[in-house]
Amino acid sequence: MNFLNKAELYRKIELIRQSAPAGRFDPYALARTLGIEIEVYAFDSARLAGVLMRGEHKSLIVLSANRPPEGRRFAASHELVHYFLHEGDNFLCTGDDEVSAIEWQANEGAAELLMPYKEFIPFYENIRSLFFTDRERALRRAAEHFDVSAGMINTRLQSLSPEIAQYERGTPLDKIVPTSARRAAAFRPDGSASAAFAADAMHRFRCIDVFE
């Protein structure tokens, strides 16, 4: 797997977005365009969030019926990032705290698909004062706008803190440089993540890459 910094990852994610039907990103619509079937199944394990099974002629994503709709949207987006960017036949994705470089890519990529920073940052700035007066209400409003959970909004705010700082210093939106200094510092040479980074990982998805 090639190492990707945040800016490189976001460029690849933009290519994925361009391959999707027009309008707000919909992982289910993109899957239909690609001929990928999506099923919802009540896994025995509550930890299992989603599965990608990639075949020569047909691929399948299975999502957990135990997750709320916004959780399944994130999981579907996560699996699509694996489909586009990562080698391997099958990925079994759980909500464990252990996070690798490949999972950072899938989690951060899914977040960028559902909450693109060029839309997210201006939206946040428009209701920024509400975050100081009634944070729960602000999180709910943002979650409804992007059709994700409040927890995902909170984590996205942490992830985009360098980009938000650039914007607030006057950098035009199209000149912002996605920055991942903490991500680069958090990973060890073997590709595993430090405990501090794992605690902040988007949705804490961990996938097992199963080769047939």
Side-chain angles (χ1 to χ4, degrees), residues 84-104:
F84 278 96
L85 300 187
H86 304 138
E87 296 180 353
D89 293 327
N90 301 329
F91 292 86
L92 310 179
C93 299
T94 72
D96 291 348
D97 284 345
E98 180 182 342
V99 179
S100 66
I102 195 172
E103 288 315 300
W104 173 81

Side-chain angles (χ1 to χ4, degrees), residues 105-118:
Q105 290 181 11
N107 286 329
E108 187 71 25
E112 175 62 11
L113 285 170
L114 295 173
M115 298 168 279
Y117 78 94
K118 289 184 179 180

Side-chain angles (χ1 to χ4, degrees), residues 78-155:
H78 177 107
E79 301 303 342
L80 285 169
V81 175
H82 280 313
Y83 178 85
F84 278 96
L85 300 187
H86 304 138
E87 296 180 353
D89 293 327
N90 301 329
F91 292 86
L92 310 179
C93 299
T94 72
D96 291 348
D97 284 345
E98 180 182 342
V99 179
S100 66
I102 195 172
E103 288 315 300
W104 173 81
Q105 290 181 11
N107 286 329
E108 187 71 25
E112 175 62 11
L113 285 170
L114 295 173
M115 298 168 279
Y117 78 94
K118 289 184 179 180
E119 180 183 351
F120 187 95
I121 293 174
F123 182 89
Y124 164 72
E125 292 296 335
N126 285 336
I127 63 169
R128 184 170 179 266
S129 61
L130 186 60
F131 275 90
F132 292 99
T133 60
D134 191 341
R135 186 174 181 83
E136 288 188 7
R137 182 183 170 198
L139 288 171
R140 288 196 303 271
R141 182 179 296 183
E144 290 172 1
H145 179 81
F146 290 99
D147 197 11
V148 297
S149 70
M152 292 175 195
I153 294 293
N154 202 42
T155 306

